[in-house]
Amino acid sequence: MKTHSGLFPVPCPLEVHPLETHPVAASGRVSRREAIKSALVAGTAALATGALAAESQPKPDPRRASPKRYEMKKSINLWAFPYPARMNLHECLQLAQDAGIDGIELNYDLENDLSPRSGQKEYEAIRKMAEQIGIAISGVCSFLFWPYPLTSNDETKRARGLELAGKMAQAAHDLGAENLLVVPGAVHIPWRTDHEPVPNDVCDRRAREAIGKLVPQAERLGVYLNIENIFFNGYLMTPMELNAFTDSFGSAHVRVHFDTGNIMLFQFPEHWISVLG
């Protein structure tokens, strides 16, 4: 067949060869000599191909391996999945486990599986589901620290933020997670037009008061309040400030959640790590 400028191919005449020019086709039989010859040729070609393939394989380069190994686990945040619009929680956990992820950080909000509408029964069911899938719940975080800052000038928002933070700590405990990411406060929230800037000293005082109220519950539940560095919120702008804030509570249950991405545009994460220890 061959194509032309129209919509359909045009048939092409077949070339016919006399049977006498093809001994095998004419007789229907292959001689022993021809069979052995064909087998030897095929075997030689296969060996040559295998040798070339072996030679093309790169040799291991010891310089590619790290000279020091660290016991680390990979965790992913639920925000990386199209949840809940296109995938349910079970599907997200299963996909993460299938991809070789060790743990998943779940997000607390006002409407979905982790929210004020859920309680111990629902969280323990999620915990059991994760155990059956074979993935750890590495922690809990929430975007609610922005609409309800712990340091807001609006007393109602501050109270709501503290209430929600307490519910998050309880949820983390019921889920079997030790870690709760906490945004302690904000001088400024660039993307929220409804946030009135808070003076630095007032922000610091309110943040310390709020975390101080959460510490007893966290210690009782066995949950760590991990203080996240934000930078563009104008609070805890240096590693020394973050250390001083965290250490001021005298509790092993107040720790640091160091986000390298939040520093990358403005400072140098490697400088912070050595100071934070």
Side-chain angles (χ1 to χ4, degrees), residues 146 149 151-153 157 186-189 192-198:
W146 299 117
T151 56
S152 173
N153 288 330
K157 288 184 177 181
V187 169
H188 180 46
I189 305 177
R192 294 197 66 93
T193 58
D194 62 338
H195 179 76
E196 180 184 354
V198 181

Side-chain angles (χ1 to χ4, degrees), residues 184-185 187 200 203-204 207-208 227-231 233-246 263 272:
V187 169
N200 294 70
C203 178
D204 184 64
R208 292 174 186 275
I227 308 301
E228 184 184 18
N229 58 294
I230 304 295
F231 201 87
N233 67 339
Y235 184 51
L236 303 179
M237 303 285 283
T238 69
M240 289 75 73
E241 289 177 295
L242 185 54
N243 272 344
F245 179 85
T246 304
I263 292 298
W272 282 60

Side-chain angles (χ1 to χ4, degrees), residues 2-266:
K2 65 180 181 180
T3 60
H4 66 102
S5 59
L7 296 176
F8 303 100
V10 175
C12 178
L14 296 175
E15 296 182 3
V16 180
H17 299 274
L19 285 175
E20 57 269 18
T21 64
H22 300 282
V24 175
S27 64
R29 296 189 299 274
V30 179
S31 68
R32 181 181 298 174
R33 179 177 293 178
E34 291 295 329
I36 294 173
K37 183 179 178 181
S38 297
L40 288 173
V41 171
T44 302
L47 288 173
T49 302
L52 289 173
E55 290 178 2
S56 66
Q57 292 293 327
K59 295 181 180 180
D61 187 344
R63 296 172 299 178
R64 293 179 63 87
S66 172
K68 188 174 182 179
R69 306 296 293 176
Y70 296 89
E71 291 297 327
M72 299 183 69
K73 294 183 178 181
K74 300 188 293 275
S75 178
I76 191 169
N77 189 281
L78 185 61
W79 282 322
F81 300 84
Y83 166 87
R86 295 172 55 195
M87 295 176 67
N88 60 41
L89 188 57
H90 184 280
E91 290 172 324
C92 296
L93 269 60
Q94 186 65 64
L95 180 57
Q97 198 276 337
D98 291 342
I101 304 296
D102 299 302
I104 188 166
E105 184 181 39
L106 300 182
N107 308 314
Y108 192 97
D109 57 31
L110 296 178
E111 297 179 357
N112 297 314
D113 291 287
L114 274 69
S115 72
R117 300 186 304 181
S118 298
Q120 181 178 358
K121 179 181 177 181
E122 289 77 14
Y123 295 137
E124 288 181 349
I126 294 173
R127 176 180 182 175
K128 184 177 181 180
M129 177 175 63
E131 290 173 350
Q132 291 174 342
I133 291 173
I135 190 168
I137 299 175
S138 58
V140 173
C141 72
S142 178
F143 204 72
L144 294 176
F145 286 109
W146 299 117
Y148 303 103
L150 297 177
T151 56
S152 173
N153 288 330
D154 187 327
E155 185 177 355
T156 302
K157 288 184 177 181
R158 291 203 309 272
R160 179 59 168 160
L162 191 62
E163 177 191 8
L164 289 169
K167 291 181 180 294
M168 294 175 203
Q170 185 64 54
H173 170 268
D174 296 340
L175 289 164
E178 294 183 338
N179 299 299
L180 172 62
L181 185 153
V182 178
V183 178
V187 169
H188 180 46
I189 305 177
W191 62 90
R192 294 197 66 93
T193 58
D194 62 338
H195 179 76
E196 180 184 354
V198 181
N200 294 70
D201 58 334
V202 175
C203 178
D204 184 64
R205 173 173 54 79
R206 290 174 180 170
R208 292 174 186 275
E209 290 175 354
I211 300 304
K213 291 177 181 178
L214 292 171
V215 168
Q217 179 194 21
E219 292 177 337
R220 186 180 76 255
L221 295 174
V223 171
Y224 294 96
L225 305 175
N226 298 328
I227 308 301
E228 184 184 18
N229 58 294
I230 304 295
F231 201 87
F232 44 82
N233 67 339
Y235 184 51
L236 303 179
M237 303 285 283
T238 69
M240 289 75 73
E241 289 177 295
L242 185 54
N243 272 344
F245 179 85
T246 304
D247 294 343
S248 69
F249 300 97
S251 173
H253 285 265
V254 182
R255 303 193 301 190
V256 169
H257 178 108
F258 182 57
D259 189 319
T260 58
N262 285 346
I263 292 298
M264 192 73 70
L265 290 176
F266 312 99

